[in-house]
Amino acid sequence: MTILVFYIFVHSLLAIIDQITRATTHIRTQAQIGCNGRQEYCIRKYSNVTHIATHDAPFIGVLPMENQNVDITTQLDGGIRFLQAQTHLNAFGKLSLCHTSCVMKDAGLLKDYLKVIKEWLDKHPKEVVTILLTNGDKISGIEFEKPFQQSGIVPYAYIPPKDPGMGTLDSWPTLGQMIANNTRLVAFLDYNANQAKVPYLLNEFSYFWETPYNTIDPAFAQCTLDRPAALRKSGPKADAVKQRMYIMNHFLDTKILGMVVPNRRDAKKTNAWRGRGGIGEQAERCSAMYGKAPAAVLVDYFDRGEVFKAQDALNGF
């Protein structure tokens, strides 16, 4: 236990030094042009755009269970258009943003998080934002309806056609169409979504599959299909795989006394476009296997490295 406390102290001290060093670093503010910052995206289907996504977006700070350096509004202002967050029930039975458990890290109520995103969308009419929520306690997806309604964000939510052809890439509208219709929020839940009752909260694995997470190999020398489990035995050319988008998990962890924690020290290398273990190297491996780029690249500490250079390149710019 003493060693663990010492590690947390040293990790936090190094993180604080890192924050001070970066105090004068400017996080770019994306220009409000076209659709999500580019005219070209206006005619692209949602399923044909690669987004850099912030992993554990609301867990902000310098402790080992915190995965980002800046708050949600700053992430969005800086160009992030895909936010991922863990949810759990807190001690009062309310849906909260909790890292692994609400004892370890509670970043506040889900409804307040959604309200921040809603207020940002209010001010940025040419932007489409995606949120992915994990359902840590595997509760009914219907329980998520209340915080969504309380936040006021529901009018922005994209609802697929009644028969979307689940997972069919061509069923998605273009970003321009979504903006014109003011359906500029796409919301996914990883487990127990109930689209019959809550049609705007989409079942993640009907539309995506994911590569493995909690990676401790800095080379990211794999691109296997990890979730959903039902697709693991499917080959890259199986229709169920080809007709889904995919999420490339590209956040590096490290093990300390058996605990898996984010690797802050090497974030700049992990988030580089080129080089061993960079985003480009893994994305090229995945693209070669599956014939298309990832729809989302999940990263920690997005403000370290070259994540937007990677995003531009993966979108052909």
Side-chain angles (χ1 to χ4, degrees), residues 148-276:
F148 268 81
Q149 294 288 351
Q150 289 175 328
S151 72
I153 204 170
V154 173
Y156 284 127
Y158 171 72
I159 299 175
K162 291 183 179 179
D163 182 16
M166 297 296 258
T168 302
L169 297 176
D170 288 341
S171 69
W172 287 92
T174 65
L175 293 193
Q177 290 169 330
M178 298 172 83
I179 289 168
N181 293 329
N182 209 24
T183 52
R184 299 183 290 113
L185 176 81
V186 188
F188 295 97
L189 185 66
D190 66 346
Y191 293 112
N192 294 346
N194 186 334
Q195 287 181 236
K197 298 289 187 180
V198 189
Y200 52 81
L201 189 54
L202 312 184
N203 176 15
E204 178 195 356
F205 296 119
S206 290
Y207 300 93
F208 289 100
W209 54 265
E210 290 192 21
T211 65
Y213 61 99
N214 286 351
T215 299
I216 59 174
D217 172 17
F220 290 90
Q222 47 72 30
C223 196
T224 55
L225 192 161
D226 182 54
R227 295 188 299 164
L231 289 183
R232 284 178 188 162
K233 294 182 179 180
S234 302
K237 296 184 179 180
D239 284 344
V241 175
K242 289 166 54 178
Q243 288 301 319
R244 284 171 168 82
M245 298 174 283
Y246 70 95
I247 295 171
M248 188 178 88
N249 287 307
H250 193 81
F251 48 94
L252 183 64
D253 291 329
T254 188
K255 276 191 175 182
I256 301 294
L257 299 178
M259 293 177 57
V260 176
V261 299
N263 187 328
R264 180 187 291 268
R265 183 193 64 185
D266 294 325
K268 193 170 182 179
K269 292 180 182 178
T270 302
N271 292 344
W273 166 233
R274 290 299 184 190
R276 180 179 180 271

Side-chain angles (χ1 to χ4, degrees), residues 41-56:
Y41 290 155
C42 294
I43 58 172
R44 283 198 189 184
K45 290 184 179 293
Y46 173 87
S47 55
N48 190 33
V49 178
T50 297
H51 294 94
I52 291 295
T54 42
H55 169 242
D56 284 342

Side-chain angles (χ1 to χ4, degrees), residues 9-308:
F9 170 76
V10 172
H11 182 284
S12 301
L13 180 62
L14 290 173
I16 291 169
I17 293 171
D18 178 66
Q19 294 278 41
I20 294 171
T21 302
R22 295 187 308 102
T24 58
T25 300
H26 175 68
I27 296 176
R28 75 172 191 177
T29 298
Q30 181 169 292
Q32 297 298 297
I33 59 174
C35 303
N36 280 23
R38 283 190 177 271
Q39 293 288 354
E40 296 91 339
Y41 290 155
C42 294
I43 58 172
R44 283 198 189 184
K45 290 184 179 293
Y46 173 87
S47 55
N48 190 33
V49 178
T50 297
H51 294 94
I52 291 295
T54 42
H55 169 242
D56 284 342
F59 305 135
I60 301 151
V62 299
L63 296 177
M65 72 288 290
E66 294 164 333
N67 303 74
Q68 303 299 332
N69 291 317
V70 297
D71 64 26
I72 296 301
T73 300
T74 305
Q75 291 177 38
L76 292 167
D77 285 345
I80 293 296
R81 297 294 177 267
F82 194 124
L83 305 161
Q84 183 264 0
Q86 299 181 44
T87 69
H88 290 269
L89 293 172
N90 66 17
F92 303 99
K94 304 290 186 182
L95 273 166
S96 285
L97 303 165
C98 297
H99 196 302
T100 308
S101 77
C102 293
V103 174
M104 178 178 289
K105 172 72 177 182
D106 188 339
L109 295 174
L110 174 59
K111 70 178 180 67
D112 295 332
Y113 171 73
L114 295 172
K115 186 176 181 181
V116 170
I117 299 169
K118 183 263 182 190
E119 290 174 349
W120 191 88
L121 286 168
D122 289 342
K123 299 173 183 177
H124 298 82
K126 295 182 179 180
E127 306 297 323
V128 176
V129 172
T130 300
I131 59 174
L132 169 59
L133 301 174
T134 69
N135 184 0
D137 296 322
K138 304 294 191 298
I139 63 174
S140 169
I142 297 172
E143 298 301 315
F144 286 77
E145 183 174 20
K146 185 175 180 179
F148 268 81
Q149 294 288 351
Q150 289 175 328
S151 72
I153 204 170
V154 173
Y156 284 127
Y158 171 72
I159 299 175
K162 291 183 179 179
D163 182 16
M166 297 296 258
T168 302
L169 297 176
D170 288 341
S171 69
W172 287 92
T174 65
L175 293 193
Q177 290 169 330
M178 298 172 83
I179 289 168
N181 293 329
N182 209 24
T183 52
R184 299 183 290 113
L185 176 81
V186 188
F188 295 97
L189 185 66
D190 66 346
Y191 293 112
N192 294 346
N194 186 334
Q195 287 181 236
K197 298 289 187 180
V198 189
Y200 52 81
L201 189 54
L202 312 184
N203 176 15
E204 178 195 356
F205 296 119
S206 290
Y207 300 93
F208 289 100
W209 54 265
E210 290 192 21
T211 65
Y213 61 99
N214 286 351
T215 299
I216 59 174
D217 172 17
F220 290 90
Q222 47 72 30
C223 196
T224 55
L225 192 161
D226 182 54
R227 295 188 299 164
L231 289 183
R232 284 178 188 162
K233 294 182 179 180
S234 302
K237 296 184 179 180
D239 284 344
V241 175
K242 289 166 54 178
Q243 288 301 319
R244 284 171 168 82
M245 298 174 283
Y246 70 95
I247 295 171
M248 188 178 88
N249 287 307
H250 193 81
F251 48 94
L252 183 64
D253 291 329
T254 188
K255 276 191 175 182
I256 301 294
L257 299 178
M259 293 177 57
V260 176
V261 299
N263 187 328
R264 180 187 291 268
R265 183 193 64 185
D266 294 325
K268 193 170 182 179
K269 292 180 182 178
T270 302
N271 292 344
W273 166 233
R274 290 299 184 190
R276 180 179 180 271
I279 293 171
E281 186 177 68
Q282 187 184 15
E284 287 171 357
R285 182 178 295 113
C286 293
S287 296
M289 288 180 65
Y290 299 100
K292 60 189 176 189
V297 179
L298 271 180
V299 300
D300 286 338
Y301 315 117
F302 86 97
D303 52 335
R304 305 290 285 159
E306 304 170 312
V307 298
F308 293 113

